[in-house]
Amino acid sequence: MKKLFVVGLMMSNFVFGQKEKDTVLVERSLESFTTPKKQKPEPLSKKGQMFVFFGWNRAAYSKSDIRFTGSDYNFQLNNVSAQDRPTKFGIVYINPAWFTVVQYNFRAGYFIKDNLALVLGIDHMKYVMDQNQTVNFKGHISDPKYAGMVENGQVNLADEQFLTFEHTDGLNYENLGLEKYQSLINKKNVDLVWSYGAGIGFMFPKSNVKLFGNERSDRFHVAGMGTDVRASLNLVLWNHWMVRLEGKAGYINMWDIKTTLNNKPDKAQQDFVFGQVLAGIGYTFNTKKYK
């Protein structure tokens, strides 16, 4: 009798143990067929996300050689210095009717891959030649009045009679860039993301040039190209609102700057290196739905 009891107990343990094992196997099999839930992505991180940005900049420029050519002159001014021209802080910075007056930046970005965005940008900088400077002169001028302003291979620009030269409406750099993004801090309502990248585009300045007392040239024109490298810090609040601080450096080459209002072949050429710091606000959103 005892033997039968022991045998029955062993068989029951085997049956129930096998059932428990089978149950675990079935649960694991079901888990393998269960589709994992999509998690809400971090801001500025996933394919299909977008952002828009508007901000303001300060810029600095290297010295440049500017060559002027026309029917009766062909000369070059060497090592010409220039500055930007920021608008005095006031209501103009937040008034939509006047936003093009200030040195502004616009960005629209789309993530073509996780953490990789294609960014369309407009950099509205301002470039103003320093008037109070004496520069080296090389070339010839047929008009005796202006040729007489050249002394010992130099010309003094202070009185504005010889030349005024600026891109103030402005030095417009229309560019397309690629930017890589990486999360630094990821909390419930606060994200800090940094990016780096490069861009290339064309220069579309409205150049204000007055040479030899002629009527001032003041019109938009595709004058050349530019390229840049950039990096930024992006503070994203509540998954959408973005505060962006960006620095960039680049090279600009403009070989067709209009210097007269007519269709004469008069033009100027220059190239220089620039640096820019900008800050502003933006908004990020998803074009795909996440559960």
Side-chain angles (χ1 to χ4, degrees), residues 268-287:
Q269 300 169 267
Q270 69 173 152
D271 67 316
F272 53 87
V273 173
F274 75 95
Q276 185 188 162
V277 176
L278 60 105
I281 57 175
Y283 190 82
T284 175
F285 55 94
N286 302 319
T287 59

Side-chain angles (χ1 to χ4, degrees), residues 169-188:
D169 282 328
L171 183 65
N172 299 309
Y173 174 39
E174 322 284 341
N175 58 88
L176 187 65
L178 277 176
E179 297 178 359
K180 182 77 172 180
Y181 287 76
Q182 182 175 337
S183 178
L184 298 178
I185 297 175
N186 178 227
K187 303 222 178 252
K188 184 177 180 181

Side-chain angles (χ1 to χ4, degrees), residues 11-23:
M11 291 180 67
S12 64
N13 287 338
F14 174 78
V15 171
F16 286 108
Q18 186 67 31
K19 284 185 177 180
E20 184 176 349
K21 184 177 180 180
D22 290 344
T23 301

